[in-house]
Amino acid sequence: MQKSIKKYFALFALPTILAFLIAFIIPFILGIYLSFTEFTTVNDAKWIGLKNYVRAFSNQEFLDALWFTVKFTIVSVITINVFAFLLGLLLTRGKKGTNLFRTIFFMPNLIGGIVLGYIWQLIINGVLIKFDLTLTSSATYGFWGLVVLMNWQLIGYMMIIYIAGIQNVPKDLMEAAQIDGANRFRILRSVTLPMVMPSITICLFLSLSNSFKLFDQNLALTAGAPAKETSMLALDIYNTFYGRTGWEGVGQAKAVVFFVLVALIALVQLVITRRKEVEN
Amino acid sequence: MKMKKWLTLMLSMTLLAGLAVGCGNKEETNTGTNGTTGKTAKEEIYFLNFKPEIAETYDKIAKDYEAETGVKVKVVTAASGTYEPTLKAEIAKSDAPTIFQINGPVGYQSWKDYTLDLKDTKLYSYLTDNSLAVKDGEGVYGIPYVVEGYGIIYNDAIMKKYFALADKAVPYASVAEVNTFDKLKAVVEDMTAKKDQLGIKGVFSSTSLGAGEQWRWQSHLANLPLFYEFKDNTSVKDPVQAGLQSNEITFKYGKNFQNIFDLYTNNSVTKKTLLGSKTVADSMAEFALGQSAMVQNGNWGWSQINGVDGNVVKAEDVKFMPIYTGVAGEEKQGLAIGTENYFAVNSKVSAEKQKASIAFLEWLFSSEKGKKYVSGELGFIAPFNTFKEEERPADPLAKEVSSWMSKGLNTVPWTFAAFPSEEFKNSFGSALLQYVQGGLQWADVEKAVIDSWKSEKAK
């Protein structure tokens, strides 16, 4: 087996490597290059050094969007994971209808972001209209609307990962804890939680990076209204790149900064939660 | 184990096959075009359309043109409000648009590397007024293809009903007498008071302020105060030029903007706080269904009014009135007439494609068949001398524009061609939204407009 893997390595890996090169590595390098240039379309770039980065960071909208994104990410990562974990616990108890509920909770994840955004825009506006308000009345509505939307979409997905983790906790460990006289809460804290740490690592990583990169839901739900107060980083980058003539390079620079941020945060989080994982 | 091995092998084979098919396709199309160049030179024209409301008509035109000349025309339409992003993405491709649109001198500045000089084309010679074209030095880089007008569209049936009321509070007997802001305001407010008698929900259709739906206010309505401001600049004769040369504005007629904007929102079908979720289509539908008596829009809005299911407005009742804002001497003000649609031909595609593109445009605006499409289905008032008087569009609003032009009033040019950027318009629009929702005072809006103009010009 080992030998044949080595033998066919090139055959199996080549398509993926090619796809990875074409769809990721080359555009990525090109993107970094473009962030140091001035251009209208990607074919006519002129090198201007760091000027784009200076403009990006002196652009108040970018900093506002960054702050909004950070706030949103903190709130939604916490809520998503807490709810997903609780649901995971609830749906591993062997209660009646477990499978049905698992399916139902997972389903929102199958709908695309733009559609979700418009669905929730209708729902939220439908409620707010009773108070003569709309989603654009205040950035607060947009913020919580996004949090609710993101929760709705991701809880089911994270729940599945937690369920897998919880089901993998060895039965004998639980029994031993019970015999030792630990109550439910104690078991949860000292046995289940450490044992599902790998799931927590994955879920935190997924919800964190997804929240940070949120784009289509943001575009469909509020499109940044009122006055760009609810535009997140990805939307701000899109608007800078496509919406403002002469700012294409700045948009590119923002995108590079964005990448570095997401990568850094995700790496730091991975290192921290990995450390807490115990060998099974 | 064996199963698994087979599965992986098959999966990778399908992947490879997929790649191979992808490449194969491309080759096929290549040989396809090469094969025919020998005989009829099948050049493909790529037309990037700016107006979603007439996309279907362009598809029909493309089909007809191909049937007649054998030249394939590919029409791609950008979704509402996304023309610039679409153009930016499309023009970087190897199969770039050969015909695209620029929105005047400001748009020309960002696309000047891509626009072909059209000075020697027949199309340029067809123009009734050569000064309408976008020029740079000796060259002609954008050719306007449609003259449009906007103002307040009103439903004459409702207005007649109102003026026939015994207890109306104004001394006027018809819309023709309403020719200043004060008169309009008196009429509108009295109509609001009697809206149940008139059977309407509000005098004005919703002031759409959703994202991407604000252009009627941040471009069209904003045109009026800024036109008057630039007109006051006596050192430059043409207000558009004056605007282009102004690095700062004072928004001197901001109060006038507020006048009419408040009138719209105070007498609207929709409550002020709900305007952020309204679209242009909503407000045109309200007008078409007879829920409102007036709506600010241009002659292109006719297709929308006409296309609404269950519409109750008769064609002969759809009329135009200028937008009065309370500026001195506005009795002599007409509709706002101009264009922001200019054809440009991509200078970076092959010479054959350029030639084919120009030929297509010339066909569209000078052949019998093309002209029929232009005035009949596109509803364009084309500024070309190839059109005879009877070949002008027959829709009621286009006719209204022509008749207002011949009334001897001062038409308001489209000064917003001089607005510094989309960003300026958008920040104007979001300030307006916050103003109607009570988040900003009017003075804040004026400040936002002045600041945004300055910062957008400075970059």
Side-chain angles (χ1 to χ4, degrees), chain A residues 11-197:
Chain A
L11 177 70
F12 288 141
L14 203 66
T16 319
I17 290 175
L18 262 180
F20 193 62
L21 261 176
I22 293 168
F24 186 78
I25 300 287
I26 295 173
F28 183 70
I29 293 169
L30 203 67
I32 293 179
Y33 161 70
L34 283 173
S35 73
F36 295 102
T37 62
E38 197 173 66
F39 61 97
T40 315
T41 65
V42 291
N43 304 333
D44 58 357
K46 280 185 241 28
W47 187 268
I48 54 160
L50 280 171
K51 217 174 111 199
N52 285 333
Y53 287 88
V54 177
R55 275 171 90 187
F57 278 106
S58 55
N59 182 215
Q60 190 56 37
E61 280 152 23
F62 182 58
L63 301 176
D64 289 345
L66 179 61
W67 177 228
F68 186 83
T69 311
V70 169
K71 279 195 294 187
F72 169 80
T73 306
I74 293 171
V75 174
S76 56
V77 163
I78 293 173
T79 50
I80 288 171
N81 285 289
V82 167
F83 285 125
F85 187 74
L86 290 180
L87 276 178
L89 273 184
L90 211 67
L91 295 178
T92 44
R93 292 264 148 111
K95 295 256 160 57
K96 224 178 154 190
T98 295
N99 275 330
L100 180 72
F101 280 115
R102 283 183 190 174
T103 316
I104 290 174
F105 283 119
F106 184 73
M107 263 159 61
N109 195 57
L110 302 174
I111 310 173
I114 288 278
V115 180
L116 274 185
Y118 282 120
I119 292 173
W120 278 94
Q121 190 190 48
L122 284 176
I123 297 175
I124 297 171
N125 272 335
V127 173
L128 287 175
I129 211 162
K130 297 262 181 283
F131 307 96
D132 280 343
L133 294 166
T134 65
L135 257 176
T136 59
S137 303
S138 146
T140 323
Y141 300 128
F143 179 81
W144 289 107
L146 281 170
V147 170
V148 170
L149 164 57
M150 198 61 181
N151 271 276
W152 197 63
Q153 186 178 21
L154 281 188
I155 282 178
Y157 193 71
M158 301 304 156
M159 177 195 75
I160 297 290
I161 300 176
Y162 281 124
I163 285 176
I166 292 168
Q167 281 175 337
N168 266 336
V169 179
K171 287 276 178 312
D172 41 346
L173 261 182
M174 303 283 248
E175 264 169 43
Q178 265 168 353
I179 291 165
D180 286 346
N183 60 16
R184 266 190 177 176
F185 181 70
R186 185 73 208 194
I187 294 177
L188 177 67
R189 209 184 60 157
S190 307
V191 180
T192 316
L193 268 184
M195 292 309 289
V196 297
M197 217 47 212

Side-chain angles (χ1 to χ4, degrees), chain B residues 161-170 190 193-194 197:
Chain B
K161 200 166 160 191
Y162 168 73
F163 284 114
L165 287 180
D167 59 341
K168 66 172 199 268
V170 293
D190 192 37
K194 300 182 171 61
Q197 269 170 279

Side-chain angles (χ1 to χ4, degrees), chain A residues 41 132 136 228 244-245 248, chain B residues 88 110 114 273 423 456:
Chain A
T41 65
D132 280 343
T136 59
K228 295 184 181 167
R244 308 191 65 172
T245 317
E248 292 85 357
Chain B
K88 213 174 265 183
S110 48
Y114 289 88
T273 45
E423 182 69 16
E456 286 301 302

Side-chain angles (χ1 to χ4, degrees), chain B residues 51-102:
Chain B
K51 288 170 161 272
E53 63 267 26
I54 49 178
E56 286 167 27
T57 315
Y58 271 123
D59 288 336
K60 269 196 268 176
I61 295 173
K63 225 175 262 159
D64 255 23
Y65 189 67
E66 193 181 352
E68 200 175 307
T69 60
V71 179
K72 195 170 163 18
V73 183
K74 171 174 155 197
V75 182
V76 173
T77 302
S80 173
T82 64
Y83 188 74
E84 284 287 314
T86 313
L87 177 56
K88 213 174 265 183
E90 289 294 306
I91 212 158
K93 293 181 182 167
S94 58
D95 178 23
T98 58
I99 307 170
F100 59 97
Q101 271 133 96
I102 53 175

Side-chain angles (χ1 to χ4, degrees), chain A residues 55 243-247, chain B residues 84 103-111 218-219 222-223 226 229-230 239-251 340 414-428 448-459:
Chain A
R55 275 171 90 187
R244 308 191 65 172
T245 317
W247 285 67
Chain B
E84 284 287 314
N103 65 357
V106 174
Y108 166 68
Q109 281 309 318
S110 48
W111 292 109
Q218 33 91 324
S219 302
N223 183 38
L226 288 169
E229 180 168 340
F230 298 143
V240 179
Q241 282 306 321
L244 287 170
Q245 289 169 23
S246 308
N247 285 328
E248 285 180 43
I249 53 168
T250 56
F251 208 27
E340 62 166 348
W414 286 18
T415 322
F416 56 82
F419 287 8
S421 66
E422 279 305 304
E423 182 69 16
F424 165 76
K425 295 185 205 167
N426 291 340
S427 59
F428 197 156
V449 171
I450 294 166
D451 289 352
S452 163
W453 182 288
K454 196 174 160 190
S455 66
E456 286 301 302
K457 274 282 183 181
K459 64 159 202 233

